[in-house]
Amino acid sequence: MRIKIKKKYEISENLTTPQTIYKHRRQILKTMGILGLGGALDLFNPLNAKDINKQVHTQTIDIKNTPYPYTTNPNYSQTPITPYAKASTYNNFYEFGLQKDDPYHRAKVLQTSPWSVVIDGEVHQEITISLEDILKKFPLQERIYHLRCVEAWSMNIPWIGFELGSLLALSRPKGNAKFVLFQTAVQEQMPAVKNPALGGYIKFPYQEGLRLDEAMCPLTLLAVGMYGKELPPQNGAPLRLVVPWKYGFKSIKSIVRITLVETMPTSTWMRLDPSEYGFYANVNPQVAHPRWSQAKERFMGEGFGFSYIPTQMFNGYSEVVGRLYAKMDLKKNF
Ligand code: MTE
């Protein structure tokens, strides 16, 4: 199915980084002697949207030194793109600590090879599939999605992956399968597994859930890469979920198990505080978090700091997913 997404997130000039900040950044780079060194500057200025949209031809991504082809899907486009340097250093991955830069500093210990995923539960065909086989089976595409965290910050990230629905179809879900439960790997060298205090005593494995129709929605991606590279560990290598119309915590990282179930599963955040984090977690500017408004968000683009932009219903993806919730009270089912 061909889906045309309106570019609701093209941010108007006055909402992007103020010129003074931009100039300040240039000044700092100049002082550091970085400006003018093409390679070094790359870190601060990775891809820009125009370039990506031109890249409709096939490129390759190196995953554990094996090149896999991918094509850019121009129907999923957002500008401006958040620099790679931010998307890979400002993360939530509580298995590695509570601070935003903990995953960047600590996730190198994540063992990502060999990797396989089990699909079980209410299926006709239980499957254990290696990452290599997944990569051979499912053609990869690049899509730029808007990521909106429940904490009210946001980014535009070019993911490389494939639709979750095509993997689930292999297992042939039974008629009574209504929900999908996802689990992250638990590895003993993860700092918060070794020392639960470092992860705020969150109980691992981190787990998340979707309704089956949400999981089969063509927007729902399993990502193996971002910005033309394999996923770095802090972003959920080697395989993570991306559900762009839901708050970021639904996009579970480093997945090892996918279980089809009959009843609504309890996710990590529901277990931590059901009054603050619901199962659906659809981005909704009209339903405030008990402790803050969700009407606006801090967009992380180029330069220092954030720019405030209005939050869109379903994160701007209403045309595709609005019908999934047509008869639901979204205040109750937050
Ligand atoms: N997955 C696992 N296993 N552990 C986590 O702590 N954090 C979630 C989600 N997936 C998390 C996780 C949250 S709160 C967010 S906002 C996103 O990952 C952040 O993804 P990013 O770090 O790639 O931006």
Side-chain angles (χ1 to χ4, degrees):
M1 184 165 72
R2 200 180 135 89
I3 297 167
K4 186 79 194 157
I5 305 288
K6 270 198 197 147
K7 298 174 190 170
K8 287 190 175 150
Y9 270 94
E10 290 200 352
I11 295 166
S12 67
E13 290 286 319
N14 61 345
L15 286 169
T16 53
T17 314
Q19 241 202 353
T20 43
I21 294 177
Y22 173 73
K23 277 189 181 151
H24 179 61
R25 180 181 147 246
R26 305 267 309 171
Q27 190 54 48
I28 289 174
L29 293 179
K30 222 172 177 175
T31 318
M32 288 162 67
I34 289 173
L35 211 64
L37 301 176
L41 203 70
D42 214 21
L43 181 71
F44 297 92
N45 182 22
L47 300 168
N48 74 46
K50 271 194 194 134
D51 292 338
I52 278 183
N53 281 331
K54 277 189 212 140
Q55 294 164 11
V56 283
H57 56 278
T58 301
Q59 299 184 77
T60 57
I61 176 174
D62 243 15
I63 295 184
K64 295 274 164 271
N65 299 322
T66 308
Y68 293 93
Y70 72 88
T71 45
T72 297
N73 186 333
N75 294 322
Y76 302 94
S77 170
Q78 305 279 350
T79 55
I81 291 181
T82 299
Y84 179 80
K86 287 188 181 177
S88 61
T89 57
Y90 189 92
N91 299 102
N92 283 333
F93 200 166
Y94 295 104
E95 288 85 335
F96 297 95
L98 299 175
Q99 303 303 320
K100 289 286 182 281
D101 59 348
D102 284 343
Y104 170 71
H105 292 297
R106 297 176 176 164
K108 289 170 191 71
V109 299
L110 181 70
Q111 265 305 334
T112 57
S113 179
W115 195 272
S116 56
V117 180
V118 173
I119 306 177
D120 61 2
E122 300 300 332
V123 293
H124 290 290
Q125 178 76 53
E126 276 198 20
I127 294 171
T128 301
I129 186 166
S130 67
L131 182 72
E132 288 73 22
D133 284 346
I134 287 177
L135 290 165
K136 281 182 209 146
K137 245 185 181 54
F138 302 106
L140 298 178
Q141 52 171 273
E142 179 176 68
R143 297 180 181 185
I144 308 166
Y145 279 164
H146 190 67
L147 171 76
R148 168 62 156 84
C149 179
V150 74
E151 298 160 350
W153 53 264
S154 64
M155 299 187 186
N156 285 332
I157 299 182
W159 302 104
I160 297 167
F162 57 96
E163 290 172 15
L164 168 67
S166 51
L167 177 60
L168 292 183
L170 284 187
S171 70
R172 294 186 289 118
K174 289 184 179 165
N176 59 336
K178 298 281 183 282
F179 294 89
V180 187
L181 168 69
F182 302 86
Q183 289 182 328
T184 294
V186 179
Q187 297 181 355
E188 58 186 21
Q189 72 277 17
M190 289 171 162
V193 169
K194 269 202 284 198
N195 178 1
L198 291 178
Y201 298 96
I202 290 175
K203 199 171 150 223
F204 298 122
Y206 188 98
Q207 59 184 51
E208 256 311 332
L210 292 174
R211 235 168 42 190
L212 185 58
D213 60 344
E214 297 175 326
M216 299 303 287
C217 172
L219 280 181
T220 307
L221 271 200
L222 278 176
V224 294
M226 58 189 241
Y227 297 83
K229 310 176 214 270
E230 79 177 329
L231 279 181
Q234 61 271 29
N235 290 85
L239 186 77
R240 68 164 297 162
L241 195 65
V242 187
V243 197
W245 71 97
K246 293 179 180 281
Y247 291 121
F249 67 84
K250 299 295 285 183
S251 292
I252 181 172
K253 297 177 171 180
S254 307
I255 298 168
V256 287
R257 176 169 240 117
I258 301 176
T259 308
L260 285 281
V261 291
E262 264 187 283
T263 52
M264 184 184 281
T266 304
S267 68
T268 290
W269 288 96
M270 286 163 77
R271 189 163 50 207
L272 281 166
D273 193 339
S275 68
E276 297 207 343
Y277 307 99
F279 175 81
Y280 282 95
N282 291 319
V283 175
N284 189 339
Q286 282 133 42
V287 177
H289 184 276
R291 289 182 283 131
W292 58 84
S293 160
Q294 295 289 26
K296 282 189 185 159
E297 63 200 54
R298 302 181 302 278
F299 177 75
M300 299 178 68
E302 283 277 346
F304 296 112
F306 309 102
S307 34
Y308 283 91
I309 59 170
T311 288
Q312 305 285 331
M313 187 64 205
F314 296 120
N315 210 18
Y317 298 96
S318 298
E319 279 169 42
V320 186
V321 299
R323 65 183 173 79
L324 298 180
Y325 312 100
K327 290 186 186 124
M328 271 176 64
D329 178 342
L330 297 177
K331 275 205 167 83
K332 244 162 92 188
N333 298 287
F334 60 93

